[in-house]
Amino acid sequence: MRFIIQQTLNALQLGSVYALIALGYTMVYGILRMINFAHGDIFMVSTYLGFFVASFLLGWALHLPMAVIFVLTLLLAMFGTSLLAVFIERVAYKPLRQAPRISAVITALGVGLFLENFTLATIGPEPRILPQVVPVINFNIGGVAVSSIQILILAISALVMFILDTIVRRTMTGMAMRAISFDKTVVPLMGIPVDRIISITFALGSSMAAVGGVLYGIAYMMDPYMGIRIGWWAFISAVVGGIGNIRGAMIGGYILGFVEIFVAAFLPSTYRDFVAFALLLLLLVFKPTGILGMPVVEQKV
Amino acid sequence: MNRRWWLPLILALLFLLSILLPHFGILNLYLQQVLMYVGINIILTISLNLVNGYMGEFSVGHAGFMAIGAYISSLLTVWVFPKSWGPFVFPLVLILGGLGAALAGLIVAFPSFKTRGDYLAIVTLAFNMIIKSVLENIEAIGGPRGFMGMSKLTNVAWVYVWVLITIFAIRNFVFSAYGRGILSIREDEVAAELVSVNTRQTKILAFVISSFFAGIAGGLFAHVLQFINPRSFTILKSTDVLVMVYLGGIGSIMGSILGASIYTILLELLRPLGVWRWVVGPLLLVILMVTRPRGIMGLREARWLLPAEEVQADAAVTS
Amino acid sequence: MPLLQVRGLTHYFGGLKAVANFNLDLEPGELVGIIGPNGAGKTTVFNLITGVYRPTEGQILLDGHNLVGLQPHAITNKGIARTFQTIRLFKDLSVLDNVRIACYSQVRYSPLAAFLHTQRFREEERQTREEALRLLDIFNLRRYAQAQAKNLPYGEQRRLEIARALATRPRLLLLDEPAAGMNPGEIQRLMELIQWLRREFQLTIILIEHQMRVVMGICERIQVLDFGETIAEGKPKEIQNHPRVLEAYLGKGVA
Ligand SMILES: Nc1ncnc2c1ncn2[C@@H]1O[C@H](COP(=O)(O)OP(=O)(O)OP(=O)(O)O)[C@@H](O)[C@H]1O
Ligand SMILES: [Mg+2]
């Protein structure tokens, strides 16, 4: 039992990261109907950004309190990552909006490979860990080990996801986003600035990934390949939840977190991919558009 | 009209060269290797183009089919047939590998009846991951360490022959009623059904043929490298093939030939850059896609690849 | 025996009753019109007959054989062809290929013969091409044979859709608002064309049309739908002055 609770905590921790990244896939898909394959690598870059910001702030003999450094790291990583994502959208995706949908997907693959290998070439392949910006305190609750890091990850993820959900549901921008994903053709007629909404979507999606990236960097090792490794799992999370659906992405992230941790707990780790993808296929057989995805509407003839 | 005689002549001449140049050591081993990779990539690209370009689906698991062909043919040459038979049974072994891959293609075709677009892409992605994962978990064939012991049965001439077979088989198929059925699915699946195209039959054909040739490519690949492991057939390999398809242009065999050749050779030329080659390569790809979103050929076909009947009849139509 | 018998055809989209208890008996050679205001369920009737949707209830019989549950291409092969309200050509393909695709089920050669381009393959391909070109001639489209369908002028695209439908060798032709977007001159020629085709190809035709003068001019029988229900049927003259039809078209209080 204790083992199960312990693993559940680990699953929630990993699931939070998947959920945060999955949001970016789902938001961009919702608005552009495009799978942004570069998103996993944007997450990777955000972790490195966090690494440099934190190292810089710590090295700076300012003796800022840890909490301030942590918050600054988080905010600057979010800001930098958003800039990068918006820049990529403007330069690489926007010219392709009228082109076949696939061209943008291939371009995204190219951008992802570029980011990955650029990081590899400039920073190197060796794994790194974020300098300590959070005091590590271990609690023991009834034999279950809980660290301050774990609590922080769960709490911050929940908070930012709540904020995002509120933005999308309550603000004018959020409504415009939903309007565009509903029907792109009529939206300009309603006076919605489509370009700006798309940029905001990329910015929001990538800042979520940046939160995920910094939190990931606190708990795990980072390396240039993690964009692909983690990115795929996050992408599947988005699909499982129903791609295009924001709450679905969050649910999907936690589901994948559980799948990964519990498969690894009971089976050789090489079975991990197999189980995850077999589950994915099964799910798609019974719920072809994911857990919260829109039902397939009959095509109008 | 005179194009009828020079094409076979050139192709035959190239065949002779593919035997003689390596034989007399004019092509060193390195160049031979590059040529073989170019050929294998052409086969992969054309076969994926059938599903993604001509039929307009988005299959992202081509390396999965390649893996099946590679493993089946390697197991056959290493375990089943005596080593000395190798060169003689090689074509048979490749075909058996191709058939194994085709069977997997048949299975993947079924979800395509109901799902399209992104969800079908995810199904093929999952297929690729599952194949890799299964291979990693079968200890008997080496598990994650891979499988070796194959002789170097692939040579430039064999690759060339299979490239020609692929080009002309798929060209002929595309210019038939079945091929036009495949095109009509890309254009408008519902309308296709309503003008009598059996879209299920057509989809099965496309997936089966496409995966058959991917399996052949896998077999050739395994017998160049003489060593395969599950990591050679990940989604990254599939991505490579996707890139070559869209770089060359969908719905064009010439596009696939160009896309595969340029991409393979370019990455070779960039080799002196070391790690930076994987930075420059993707960057060039992005620049190319942004400036030429429909690839190099963009739905057009080279004239020498059009069947004589079509060209002659076209002249008759316009006159 | 009637060519087509439709009995109690009903279809729901979710909670929306798009077609309610639709009945139709069609004798060979007839030309019947279906009219009704927007959203009345006319196109849905075509979609049900051609197998795009499976009806919630009801029977559809062709020569007394059931069609419900068959895939659309199988229904087409039994002799029902159609055009679409909004043009659905294969836009990026040539005009010739648009028509040749509709000959899909007439070829008898195997995929293997296609790989090898055998003698038989070539012979059948030649026939297909000739048949397609003959149809293009009839519709005065031959000079566009190599053009991409999307580059044709609008009226030509409409005609190409009919040519493509005929390439499946139908006995029953379903035309969904063929005159939409045409000017009076074009409409006049279209009416003549439809009547000529009917004689030449011995077709039975169901015509959905908004333009009253088209239906009134060439149909022998008219069925009027409103909110999925058949509210009137009969000869053009009878329909013209039918109180429920006027009500449906002009609103309550007029009749
Ligand atoms: N695929 C679909 N899903 C949901 N509702 C549909 C679908 N197709 C049609 N409908 C609805 O069914 C009703 C009948 O539509 P239908 O297209 O048959 O009308 P119609 O008589 O052809 O109208 P029009 O004259 O505008 O072409 C309409 O309310 C329409 O909105
Ligand atoms: Mg209609």
Side-chain angles (χ1 to χ4, degrees):
Chain A
M1 192 58 213
R2 231 184 280 144
F3 176 72
I4 301 278
I5 295 175
Q6 186 75 61
Q7 296 296 349
T8 302
L9 272 175
N10 294 342
L12 285 174
Q13 174 181 330
L14 188 60
S16 301
V17 177
Y18 287 152
L20 286 169
I21 309 169
L23 285 168
Y25 282 110
T26 246
M27 291 170 75
V28 169
Y29 187 88
I31 210 159
L32 289 179
R33 290 286 175 275
M34 165 200 167
I35 302 176
N36 179 15
F37 278 119
H39 187 63
D41 293 294
I42 288 177
F43 153 77
M44 178 271 297
V45 170
S46 79
T47 314
Y48 276 92
L49 266 180
F51 172 82
F52 287 118
V53 172
S55 311
F56 179 73
L57 290 177
L58 283 172
W60 228 23
L62 267 186
H63 305 293
L64 290 168
M66 272 228 205
V68 174
I69 293 186
F70 174 73
V71 170
L72 275 179
T73 304
L74 202 59
L75 290 179
L76 286 174
M78 286 166 77
F79 181 69
T81 313
S82 305
L83 278 188
L84 175 69
V86 171
F87 174 75
I88 291 172
E89 195 275 324
R90 279 292 147 104
V91 184
Y93 304 159
K94 192 172 171 213
L96 293 171
R97 240 178 257 165
Q98 306 306 324
R101 228 156 53 95
I102 292 305
S103 312
V105 175
I106 297 295
T107 308
L109 281 170
V111 171
L113 283 173
F114 170 79
L115 291 177
E116 177 187 332
N117 291 299
F118 186 78
T119 312
L120 193 65
T122 49
I123 302 174
E126 53 284 345
R128 286 162 199 272
I129 188 153
L130 208 76
Q132 205 192 358
V133 284
V134 179
V136 184
I137 310 163
N138 286 309
F139 308 97
N140 191 316
I141 308 172
V144 176
V146 186
S147 76
S148 53
I149 289 182
Q150 224 153 18
I151 297 172
L152 187 78
I153 290 180
L154 296 189
I156 291 191
S157 311
L159 179 70
V160 293
M161 283 192 256
F162 175 76
I163 295 173
L164 179 79
D165 195 72
T166 311
I167 291 177
V168 172
R169 269 164 212 279
R170 293 285 144 78
T171 64
M172 282 309 278
T173 311
M175 276 185 231
M177 280 160 73
R178 283 182 293 145
I180 296 179
S181 63
F182 190 70
D183 186 345
K184 196 156 13 164
T185 48
V186 301
V187 163
L189 306 177
M190 294 162 30
I192 295 177
V194 176
D195 281 348
R196 208 170 76 213
I197 299 296
I198 290 178
S199 294
I200 294 175
T201 306
F202 271 84
L204 278 176
S206 55
S207 12
M208 290 298 119
V211 175
V214 172
L215 294 180
Y216 186 90
I218 294 177
Y220 311 89
M221 298 286 240
M222 67 184 88
D223 66 69
Y225 301 110
M226 74 186 201
I228 294 196
R229 206 174 56 236
I230 312 285
W232 278 120
W233 281 71
F235 171 64
I236 297 167
S237 308
V239 176
V240 165
I243 194 155
N245 185 302
I246 288 185
R247 290 186 179 173
M250 302 179 190
I251 296 174
Y254 287 106
I255 292 179
L256 268 277
F258 272 88
V259 169
E260 176 162 350
I261 295 290
F262 279 90
V263 170
F266 295 108
L267 292 170
S269 67
T270 43
Y271 282 88
R272 215 183 58 180
D273 283 7
F274 179 79
V275 174
F277 284 97
L279 279 179
L280 175 68
L281 281 187
L282 267 183
L283 177 88
L284 289 184
V285 169
F286 294 108
K287 268 214 111 216
T289 50
I291 293 173
L292 291 186
M294 287 166 278
V296 197
V297 277
E298 285 182 279
Q299 198 185 1
K300 246 186 164 172
V301 178
Chain B
M1 190 48 223
N2 57 357
R3 58 191 285 288
R4 279 299 82 190
W5 63 265
W6 58 256
L7 187 58
L9 200 73
I10 292 181
L11 296 179
L13 205 71
L14 284 174
F15 179 64
L16 273 184
L17 286 179
S18 76
I19 294 178
L20 295 179
L21 291 185
H23 184 76
F24 291 109
I26 302 171
L27 268 182
N28 65 30
L29 281 178
Y30 170 70
L31 286 179
Q32 285 182 35
Q33 178 119 342
V34 172
L35 272 184
M36 286 191 273
Y37 283 143
V38 168
I40 290 169
N41 282 339
I42 290 177
I43 299 175
L44 286 170
T45 308
I46 294 179
S47 58
L48 184 63
N49 204 338
L50 187 65
V51 168
N52 285 30
Y54 290 94
M55 194 156 77
E57 291 291 0
F58 192 49
S59 166
V60 294
H62 214 48
F65 301 115
M66 190 187 172
I68 295 175
Y71 269 86
I72 291 184
S73 59
S74 304
L75 294 176
L76 287 173
T77 50
V78 175
W79 285 353
V80 178
F81 295 109
K83 214 163 189 111
S84 57
W85 292 18
F88 308 104
V89 291
F90 191 44
L92 175 73
V93 160
L94 287 179
I95 289 172
L96 289 175
L99 290 177
L103 197 67
L106 182 67
I107 295 166
V108 174
F110 284 100
S112 80
F113 294 169
K114 287 258 175 261
T115 13
R116 264 201 83 97
D118 299 319
Y119 278 87
L120 186 64
I122 291 158
V123 170
T124 58
L125 168 82
F127 161 78
N128 195 159
M129 298 286 202
I130 286 176
I131 291 289
K132 177 188 167 248
S133 193
V134 166
L135 291 173
E136 270 178 349
N137 285 297
I138 305 179
E139 271 305 313
I141 56 171
R145 293 179 316 284
F147 187 79
M148 58 179 99
M150 298 78 95
S151 331
K152 189 155 186 170
L153 296 173
T154 306
N155 56 34
V156 179
W158 266 128
V159 172
Y160 178 70
V161 168
W162 278 106
V163 167
L164 282 192
I165 293 175
T166 312
I167 290 178
F168 286 98
I170 291 192
R171 192 283 309 264
N172 282 356
F173 189 73
V174 167
F175 286 96
S176 76
Y178 301 104
R180 291 191 292 269
I182 286 177
L183 289 172
S184 72
I185 291 179
R186 177 184 77 201
E187 297 290 312
D188 185 336
E189 191 171 339
V190 177
E193 272 279 332
L194 290 170
V195 298
S196 85
V197 177
N198 184 346
T199 55
R200 295 189 175 188
Q201 179 192 35
T202 315
K203 284 178 182 175
I204 288 182
L205 279 171
F207 272 102
V208 165
I209 294 166
S210 167
S211 46
F212 173 80
F213 284 106
I216 297 282
L220 290 168
F221 174 77
H223 291 84
V224 177
L225 217 63
Q226 297 171 267
F227 165 69
I228 45 176
N229 82 29
R231 274 188 314 272
S232 319
F233 308 105
T234 58
I235 199 74
L236 278 182
K237 180 76 201 174
S238 298
T239 309
D240 266 354
V241 188
L242 280 174
V243 166
M244 292 186 274
V245 169
Y246 293 97
L247 183 69
I250 60 161
S252 163
I253 291 173
M254 191 61 198
S256 290
I257 298 174
L258 289 175
S261 310
I262 293 175
Y263 187 74
T264 316
I265 294 174
L266 192 73
L267 282 181
E268 256 341 290
L269 291 179
L270 293 178
R271 199 179 274 282
L273 293 181
V275 261
W276 284 93
R277 123 175 122 133
W278 296 106
V279 179
V280 178
L283 198 61
L284 290 176
L285 172 73
V286 171
I287 293 171
L288 202 117
M289 287 314 287
V290 172
T291 49
R292 273 202 89 119
R294 279 161 203 276
I296 299 168
M297 294 295 286
L299 283 179
R300 279 167 302 136
E301 190 56 274
R303 241 185 121 70
W304 67 273
L305 278 166
L306 298 174
E309 301 93 76
E310 297 285 326
V311 180
Q312 285 162 23
D314 286 357
V317 167
T318 31
S319 68
Chain C
M1 188 168 79
L3 177 68
L4 182 79
Q5 290 167 284
V6 182
R7 297 259 172 281
L9 193 65
T10 301
H11 192 67
Y12 285 89
F13 288 112
L16 175 81
K17 200 172 196 172
V19 175
N21 192 23
F22 179 88
N23 294 293
L24 176 67
D25 270 351
L26 204 55
E27 294 299 330
E30 268 192 297
L31 202 174
V32 171
I34 298 182
I35 62 171
N38 286 101
K42 307 177 295 289
T43 301
T44 305
V45 168
F46 275 13
N47 284 335
L48 293 170
I49 294 176
T50 52
V52 176
Y53 305 140
R54 200 191 165 106
T56 316
E57 265 170 53
Q59 276 185 312
I60 306 169
L61 305 173
L62 187 75
D63 303 321
H65 297 294
N66 175 39
L67 294 185
V68 174
L70 294 183
Q71 281 173 31
H73 75 266
I75 295 176
T76 308
N77 286 335
K78 289 193 184 299
I80 302 181
R82 69 176 283 184
T83 63
F84 301 90
Q85 182 171 355
T86 46
I87 299 175
R88 292 185 82 152
L89 291 168
F90 305 121
K91 293 194 192 70
D92 285 330
L93 304 184
S94 74
V95 168
L96 178 64
D97 278 345
N98 266 272
V99 178
R100 282 201 290 182
I101 285 167
C103 302
Y104 184 87
S105 57
Q106 286 148 37
V107 282
R108 294 278 156 263
Y109 58 76
S110 66
L112 198 64
F115 278 124
L116 302 172
H117 274 200
T118 57
Q119 193 57 44
R120 170 167 184 193
F121 167 90
R122 281 197 222 133
E123 179 53 30
E124 283 194 37
E125 278 290 289
R126 198 184 51 74
Q127 284 169 7
T128 305
R129 172 187 295 272
E130 270 169 19
E131 162 136 12
L133 287 174
R134 194 173 60 84
L135 278 167
L136 290 184
D137 270 334
I138 291 176
F139 287 86
N140 219 345
L141 291 168
R142 187 176 178 134
R143 64 204 149 108
Y144 296 114
Q146 296 305 327
Q148 279 182 317
K150 66 178 173 200
N151 294 333
L152 290 194
Y154 180 80
E156 269 75 3
Q157 293 199 14
R158 283 248 172 241
R159 275 188 285 148
L160 177 55
E161 264 212 339
I162 302 179
R164 184 179 68 173
L166 288 178
T168 65
R169 301 192 183 154
R171 289 174 291 156
L172 172 60
L173 181 63
L174 312 180
L175 298 170
D176 197 346
E177 304 199 19
M182 288 188 173
N183 63 39
E186 288 173 323
I187 291 178
Q188 187 57 39
R189 264 172 280 140
L190 179 77
M191 285 166 64
E192 283 158 19
L193 179 71
I194 291 174
Q195 283 174 310
W196 182 84
L197 290 174
R198 180 184 173 198
R199 260 179 283 123
E200 192 69 15
F201 290 87
Q202 286 149 26
L203 291 170
T204 309
I205 296 177
I206 307 179
L207 177 71
I208 292 178
E209 196 42 78
H210 262 312
Q211 320 252 359
M212 277 303 187
R213 46 177 295 241
V214 179
V215 238
M216 296 296 164
I218 60 177
C219 295
E220 284 133 19
R221 206 146 59 85
I222 293 173
Q223 195 151 344
V224 191
L225 295 187
D226 189 22
F227 291 112
E229 315 260 359
T230 303
I231 55 169
E233 51 183 313
K235 299 221 162 60
K237 274 265 146 38
E238 299 163 10
I239 296 298
Q240 236 161 355
N241 302 312
H242 198 289
R244 290 201 56 191
V245 178
L246 293 175
E247 191 183 302
Y249 269 89
L250 304 171
K252 274 206 162 54
V254 177

